[in-house]
């Protein structure tokens, strides 16, 4: 089963995906796209980094991280789950922020874009 960005674009939609998965008795392989808007944000960040506009890249990274933290707070009820999700997501953003510290090339762009799917998977992992 593959779920696109709109399917995992909000806490409410993520809950519906989980419900659908739990109601499906057969074994399944699940593929999650980046949360709606994430790929575009990561492309924008990459664009800033190509232009060596580190401050704009950091600002956009911060905005995206806040978006994920908001979704976490909407998605989970238990404080321990919220804390665990924030730790995992923070690690991904730490990785993204590391791109602001050094030369940015096409190889790094591929790595930064992959983070969108990793972030979606992290939210469903808990």
């Amino acid at each position: 089963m593959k779920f696109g960005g709109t399917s995992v674009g909000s806490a409410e939609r993520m809950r519906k995906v989980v419900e659908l998965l739990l109601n499906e008795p057969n074994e399944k392989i699940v593929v999650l796209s980046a949360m709606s808007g994430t790929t575009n944000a990561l492309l924008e960040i990459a664009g800033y980094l190509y232009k060596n506009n580190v401050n704009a890249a950091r600002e956009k990274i911060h905005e995206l991280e806040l978006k994920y933290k908001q979704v976490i707070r909407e998605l989970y009820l238990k404080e321990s789950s919220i804390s665990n999700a924030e730790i995992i997501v923070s690690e991904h953003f730490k990785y993204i922020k590391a791109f602001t510290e050094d030369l940015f090339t096409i190889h790094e762009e591929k790595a930064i874009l992959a983070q969108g799917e990793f972030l979606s998977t992290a939210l469903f992992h808990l």
Side-chain angles (χ1 to χ4, degrees), residues 14-26:
M14 288 179 193
R15 280 190 203 95
K16 289 182 182 188
V17 167
V18 169
E19 184 180 315
L20 207 161
L21 293 172
L22 291 175
N23 289 329
E24 172 59 46
N26 299 321

Side-chain angles (χ1 to χ4, degrees), residues 110-124:
K110 291 176 183 177
I112 203 170
L113 291 176
Q115 293 306 301
E117 283 74 16
F118 291 144
L119 285 161
S120 287
T121 302
L123 293 178
F124 276 89

Side-chain angles (χ1 to χ4, degrees), residues 41-67 93-104 112:
L42 293 171
L43 282 169
E44 189 175 348
I45 292 163
Y48 287 136
L49 292 172
Y50 275 129
K51 295 175 187 170
N52 203 26
N53 189 345
V54 174
N55 289 334
R58 286 182 179 148
E59 184 177 318
K60 191 67 181 177
I61 292 167
H62 180 70
E63 288 174 18
L64 188 59
E65 186 172 14
L66 289 177
K67 175 183 174 180
F93 278 98
K94 183 177 174 184
Y95 179 75
I96 294 168
K97 290 172 188 172
F99 290 106
T100 67
E101 303 298 325
D102 206 354
L103 181 65
F104 191 78
I112 203 170

Side-chain angles (χ1 to χ4, degrees), residues 73-116:
R73 295 232 165 246
E74 294 170 9
L75 188 59
Y76 295 103
L77 302 174
K78 294 186 343 188
E79 197 58 43
S80 61
S81 296
I82 291 169
S83 178
N84 289 338
E86 286 182 342
I87 289 168
I88 292 168
V89 166
S90 290
E91 284 300 311
H92 286 284
F93 278 98
K94 183 177 174 184
Y95 179 75
I96 294 168
K97 290 172 188 172
F99 290 106
T100 67
E101 303 298 325
D102 206 354
L103 181 65
F104 191 78
T105 69
I106 189 71
H107 302 293
E108 283 80 17
E109 180 181 25
K110 291 176 183 177
I112 203 170
L113 291 176
Q115 293 306 301

Side-chain angles (χ1 to χ4, degrees), residues 4-43:
T6 302
S7 298
V8 294
S10 68
E12 180 183 342
R13 289 189 175 258
M14 288 179 193
R15 280 190 203 95
K16 289 182 182 188
V17 167
V18 169
E19 184 180 315
L20 207 161
L21 293 172
L22 291 175
N23 289 329
E24 172 59 46
N26 299 321
E27 288 187 34
K28 57 203 136 299
I29 295 173
V30 178
V31 177
L32 300 171
S33 291
M35 210 167 77
S36 182
T38 299
T39 301
N40 288 342
L42 293 171
L43 282 169

